[in-house]
Amino acid sequence: MIHIDSLLKTIGTRNLLTINRLHIQANEKIGLIGNNGEGKTTFLKILAGRDNDYEGYIQRKIKINCWLGNSDIEWTSSRDYSNEDEIVRNT
């Protein structure tokens, strides 16, 4: 499972990504739809632990596999969170 509260990613003065609250259950599949530059890839990088430059709260208890269907980009979280809770609060 993944719980996200008050996630904010900025680049310079631009708010790239804002998620007030999101819960994803284990084995649940999600899809992201949006225009170019709206933070889809950034969100996946944050979930996979490849981007830690954000504010907010993330609790993970699953291994995360990400794949971008229109490219050759694929990655897995650097840690397997399935046996532990990791709470990340960046401010």
Side-chain angles (χ1 to χ4, degrees), residues 18-35:
T18 303
I19 299 174
N20 293 323
R21 181 167 287 165
L22 177 66
H23 301 282
I24 303 170
Q25 297 301 319
N27 298 317
E28 184 175 2
K29 294 180 174 128
I30 65 167
L32 303 175
I33 299 171
N35 293 324

Side-chain angles (χ1 to χ4, degrees), residues 23-57:
H23 301 282
I24 303 170
Q25 297 301 319
N27 298 317
E28 184 175 2
K29 294 180 174 128
I30 65 167
L32 303 175
I33 299 171
N35 293 324
N36 291 343
E38 289 189 342
K40 299 176 300 295
T41 302
T42 300
F43 176 61
L44 294 176
K45 287 179 181 178
I46 289 171
L47 285 184
R50 300 206 176 240
D51 183 344
N52 294 309
D53 184 24
Y54 61 88
E55 296 179 20
Y57 169 88

Side-chain angles (χ1 to χ4, degrees), residues 47-85:
L47 285 184
R50 300 206 176 240
D51 183 344
N52 294 309
D53 184 24
Y54 61 88
E55 296 179 20
Y57 169 88
I58 298 177
Q59 181 182 20
R60 300 178 184 101
K61 196 172 180 177
I62 59 173
K63 187 171 186 174
I64 300 163
N65 296 302
C66 300
W67 174 69
L68 300 180
N70 63 346
S71 68
D72 293 330
I73 299 173
E74 182 174 356
W75 63 83
T76 300
S77 58
S78 55
R79 288 179 51 194
D80 183 351
Y81 300 100
S82 59
N83 294 319
E84 62 184 90
D85 282 334

